[in-house]
């Protein structure tokens, strides 16, 4: 899975500005924790899974020339940390085609990432301050 660098900047309260290449979006928490200016981080994970699933199914149907008129994906968190993914396929599809499309839904890169053991490495970063910034309490 290739990706562009994703950066996150702090905003008011818990609001975060996310930059991905030339795209920007917000993440936040609902009131009363914050101001609800964007989806929560968990909702962004669900959105990534749902959109990746939809793209994988559409790609297979188009590549095979199958009559998939529409794909709808709804994703939510369930009990015990489960993720529930509902997939609706509309079109004059044969049962075998539906089966293959549902299998493709489980092979999208985000689905595979979330269902395997993944290592996350946290690296502390020292950010350079602009030259004209006032000296902080640790500078001498």
């Amino acid at each position: 899975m290739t990706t562009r660098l994703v950066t996150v900047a702090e905003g008011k309260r818990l609001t975060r500005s996310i930059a991905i290449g030339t795209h920007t979006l917000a993440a936040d928490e609902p009131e009363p924790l914050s101001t609800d200016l964007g989806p929560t981080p968990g909702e962004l994970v669900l959105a990534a899974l749902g959109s990746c699933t939809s793209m994988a199914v559409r790609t297979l149907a188009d590549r095979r020339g199958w009559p998939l008129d529409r794909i709808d994906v709804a994703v939510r968190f369930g009990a015990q940390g489960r993720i529930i993914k509902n997939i609706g396929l509309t079109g004059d599809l044969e049962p075998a085609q539906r089966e293959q499309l549902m299998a493709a839904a489980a092979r999208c890169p985000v689905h595979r990432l979330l269902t395997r053991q993944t290592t996350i490495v946290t690296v502390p970063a020292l950010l350079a301050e602009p030259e004209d910034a006032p000296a902080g309490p640790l500078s001498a």
Side-chain angles (χ1 to χ4, degrees), residues 14-26:
L14 297 178
T15 303
R16 298 296 179 261
S17 176
I18 303 165
I20 307 166
T22 60
H23 308 285
T24 59
L25 55 144

Side-chain angles (χ1 to χ4, degrees), residues 36-124:
D36 201 18
L37 292 177
T40 67
E43 291 165 342
L44 290 170
V45 169
L46 295 178
L49 176 60
S51 59
C52 184
T53 297
S54 179
M55 290 175 186
V57 172
R58 171 56 63 196
T59 299
L60 178 61
D62 287 355
R63 187 178 319 131
R64 302 264 174 97
W66 292 345
L68 176 63
D69 297 329
R70 181 183 172 113
I71 175 170
D72 293 296
V73 180
V75 190
R76 64 181 169 85
F77 288 112
Q80 288 93 33
R82 290 191 173 129
I83 295 175
I84 311 300
K85 182 167 61 167
N86 297 91
I87 301 172
L89 303 175
T90 304
D92 190 23
L93 297 162
E94 300 291 328
Q97 293 171 329
R98 287 182 182 279
E99 186 177 317
Q100 288 182 49
L101 291 171
M102 294 301 282
R107 290 191 307 267
C108 83
V110 174
H111 186 113
R112 290 186 310 203
L113 178 68
L114 292 173
T115 56
R116 74 169 192 242
Q117 185 175 355
T118 301
T119 302
I120 299 174
V121 178
T122 302
V123 180

